[in-house]
Amino acid sequence: SFKNVKTIAVGKSPGRLAASPIDDLVFAANLGAASISVIDANTHLVKKTIPVGKSPADIVFSSDGRFAFVACYGSNTIAVIDCEALLVVKSIKTLAGPVALKLSEPRKQLWVAQQAANSVAVVNLETQTLEESIPTGIGPLFLEILPDQSKLFVANTGDQSVTVIDTQARKTLEPIVTGRSPMQLVMKPDGGEIYANNFDAGSVVVINTAACVLNGSFSVGRNPIRGVISRDGQGLYIANYGSNT
């Protein structure tokens, strides 16, 4: 029916939302409250509030729903939440500004964009420890990984590039030059192409993920900030922050 059935009060300045893959819980990251609000999707009530580090910016769940990982930008940590106990069971120290997360469970890796440190960290999921940090461009903000887990693409919002990382060798490949301030990466369902939204260029570039080269570009509205692609991969929808389109 697409109507507002309830407004749920959570912590200050909620940002990222993530739904558990195995039950009816939704986690809301409260940027201004250093906490996660756990919402019961059946009752629309907050079941618990979990303290985490400062400025929680992103949340990902393990596929079995056992753990949730929270990037805490302001405290340079990853909070590991036990989703049954709804408690933080570990805090993993990172470099400055962890802002985005991407799981690679086949490789037992959690990738972390460290925006203020111009790098991406690799966390070992078995030991839940940070193993190394890999330099990127300036201000890495968004991560995307191919369906076969072979390459990680990193949008560097502070410059005009996308860093490509070989996830097995943990080495960077030749960077891809985009337009100014790539904000987000949108991948086709088959992983063959990625679209990078260039916030300060009013454009989108098309990346061939096999060859790691540009397939082209096209103009959109001012400040393209977010995009989604249709399930069949034939339609791309771009939200243009600066032109209300």
Side-chain angles (χ1 to χ4, degrees):
S1 60
F2 295 101
K3 64 180 181 180
N4 185 347
V5 296
K6 187 169 184 178
T7 298
I8 304 168
V10 292
K12 184 179 179 182
S13 305
R16 185 72 66 183
L17 294 170
S20 167
I22 63 165
D23 55 30
D24 295 322
L25 297 180
V26 175
F27 282 25
N30 303 311
L31 276 165
S35 66
I36 300 294
S37 294
V38 181
I39 300 166
D40 186 318
N42 294 310
T43 63
H44 307 302
L45 297 173
V46 174
K47 183 175 182 177
K48 188 170 184 179
T49 299
I50 306 171
V52 292
K54 296 177 182 177
S55 306
D58 198 11
I59 312 167
V60 295
F61 286 90
S62 58
S63 61
D64 62 6
R66 182 181 176 190
F67 295 108
F69 302 90
V70 182
C72 301
Y73 187 94
S75 57
N76 304 326
T77 57
I78 304 297
V80 183
I81 296 175
D82 181 315
C83 294
E84 184 173 351
L86 296 179
L87 294 171
V88 174
V89 292
K90 188 162 188 177
S91 181
I92 303 168
K93 191 67 178 174
T94 69
L95 298 185
V99 69
L101 304 172
K102 187 64 68 171
L103 273 175
S104 176
E105 290 186 296
R107 298 197 188 283
K108 298 180 174 57
Q109 297 168 336
L110 174 67
W111 294 87
V112 185
Q114 300 172 135
Q115 187 181 29
N118 301 326
S119 62
V120 170
V122 189
V123 172
N124 183 312
L125 288 176
E126 290 188 319
T127 62
Q128 295 183 353
T129 56
L130 191 150
E131 293 187 331
E132 64 178 300
S133 291
I134 301 168
T136 62
I138 299 171
L141 182 65
F142 197 93
L143 306 175
E144 191 57 88
I145 196 164
L146 295 186
D148 67 2
Q149 314 293 300
S150 63
K151 295 173 187 170
L152 181 79
F153 292 77
V154 185
N156 301 306
T157 306
D159 59 21
Q160 303 182 78
S161 73
V162 168
T163 298
V164 185
I165 297 173
D166 180 321
T167 58
Q168 183 163 358
R170 301 187 184 181
K171 301 293 184 183
T172 56
L173 307 178
E174 189 70 22
I176 301 169
V177 177
T178 64
R180 285 180 294 137
S181 308
M183 287 287 289
Q184 184 208 17
L185 304 174
V186 185
M187 184 169 62
K188 274 191 170 182
D190 64 4
E193 289 181 331
I194 285 176
Y195 300 89
N197 302 330
N198 301 314
F199 186 81
D200 289 321
S203 67
V204 174
V205 296
V206 186
I207 298 170
N208 179 313
T209 60
C212 296
V213 296
L214 293 186
N215 267 359
S217 65
F218 51 91
S219 296
V220 291
R222 291 195 306 274
N223 307 130
I225 189 168
R226 284 291 181 268
V228 294
I229 198 161
S230 60
R231 185 172 57 179
D232 62 6
Q234 299 303 305
L236 176 67
Y237 299 82
I238 302 293
N240 301 299
Y241 179 86
S243 56
N244 304 324
T245 58

